[in-house]
Amino acid sequence: MTVPANLLLLAGTREARMLAGALKDQGRWRVTASLAGVTSEPVDLAVETRRGGFGGVDGLVRYLQDNRFSAVVDATHPFAAQMSSNAAQACRRLELPLLRLERPAWSQPGRTGWLDVQDTDTAAAALPPGARAFLTVGGNSLEPFRCRGDVWFLIRTLEAIPGGFPFAQGTFVHGMPGTEAEVEAALMQEHGISHLVTKNAGGPAYAKVEAAVSLNIRTIMIARPQLPPAEIAGDVAAAMVWLEAL
Ligand code: NAP
C-alpha cells in the first residue's frame, strides 16, 4: 500500500475548497489546507486546515520542511500577491513542485463604459466628481478611495469594517458577492449607482459585472497584480491532472 504524500494547499478561494474536496475523495494526497485567518467564520474545507501566516518566506520554508511536504498548490485569490510570491520563493528554494490554480480573468474587449486600470489608485482617480460608486475591492483596498470626498460610495465587504463607515458619503453592505445578475442589479438600482469599481478576480462573482452591463453602469476594472512565473492551472480539473502527473 502506498503512503499518501503531503500536499500544502494555500486556500482562500472557492476553487481551493473544490480542490480540497476532490483530493479528499481521491485519497492519493494527505492534504493540509492553509487559510490566512482573515475571515472569522470560514467555510469548512473538508481537509485538515491550519490558519494564520507562516512568517514570510523563511517561515514557509521551515513549515514545508518540518512537515515534509512534497508539493504545493497555490489556490489563493489572484490579488493575494504577497502569499503567491512567498510560495514561489519558498518552493524554488526547496525545489518543490508548485502549481498556481488561477481562474481566468474577466474581459469585455471593446465594451463601451468599461475601463481597465492598473491599480486601486488609478481606479480612485478615474471616478468623476459626483459619481455614485459601488466599490467591491475588499476591506484592505479602501484606502486609495478615502480622498474622494466628492463621490458617494456603496461598499461591500465580507466582514464588517472595524471603526464603521470609512468615507465622507455613502453606506455599506456586508456579505458574499451575489451570484445572480438580477439581485446585483436590484442592489445597484436601489442605490442609484453610476460606477462599479471592482478587482478582476475572475470566477463566479461576475454577476455584478453582468448587472452593470445590463444597466449601462460604467465599470472600472482593476487589473491583477504581476505574480512570479509558475505552472498554472485554470480550473480544478486541470489542477487534478497536474497532481496526477507528479
Ligand atoms: P497577501 O497580501 O498575499 O498575504 C499577506 C500575508 O497573509 C502573507 O504574507 C501570509 O503571511 C498571509 N497569508 C495570505 N494567504 C495565506 C494563506 N492562504 N495561508 C496562510 N497565510 C496566508 O493576502 P491577502 O490579499 O491579504 O489575502 C488574504 C487571504 O484572503 C488569501 O488567502 C486570499 O486568498 C484571500 N482573499 C484575498 C482577496 C484579495 O482581494 N486580496 C480576496 C478574496 C480572498 P506570512 O507572510 O506571515 O506567511
Side-chain angles (χ1 to χ4, degrees), residues 8-14 16 33-39 50-60 74-86 103 136-141 158 199 201 225 227:
L8 177 63
L9 172 62
L10 298 169
T13 56
R14 181 170 166 268
S34 176
L35 292 170
V38 289
T39 309
R50 64 169 299 286
R51 282 166 68 94
F54 299 96
V57 179
D58 291 342
L60 181 56
D74 172 9
T76 56
H77 191 272
F79 282 76
Q82 187 63 57
M83 189 68 249
S84 291
S85 165
N86 290 358
R103 54 203 180 196
T136 66
V137 296
N140 288 340
S141 303
L158 218 48
K199 289 176 170 174
L227 298 178

Side-chain angles (χ1 to χ4, degrees), residues 130-221:
R132 292 179 68 86
F134 183 23
L135 199 51
T136 66
V137 296
N140 288 340
S141 303
L142 299 176
E143 194 55 39
F145 299 89
R146 268 184 199 273
C147 60
R148 295 307 308 269
D150 55 347
V151 172
W152 186 96
F153 288 102
L154 171 64
I155 306 174
R156 179 165 63 200
T157 53
L158 218 48
E159 306 263 322
I161 302 168
F165 190 74
F167 297 150
Q169 313 182 59
T171 188
F172 43 24
V173 285
H174 301 304
M176 296 286 284
T179 51
E180 290 173 29
E182 296 75 24
V183 177
E184 296 290 67
L187 179 68
M188 292 186 212
Q189 280 180 311
E190 182 191 338
H191 294 282
I193 297 301
S194 62
H195 291 73
L196 167 68
V197 183
T198 191
K199 289 176 170 174
N200 200 332
Y206 193 67
K208 63 192 166 201
V209 183
E210 266 183 276
V213 171
S214 72
L215 296 172
N216 276 327
I217 287 171
R218 292 180 171 273
T219 300
I220 299 176
M221 186 61 71

Side-chain angles (χ1 to χ4, degrees), residues 219-232:
T219 300
I220 299 176
M221 186 61 71
I222 301 166
R224 296 175 174 192
Q226 284 281 342
L227 298 178
E231 287 194 68
I232 291 177

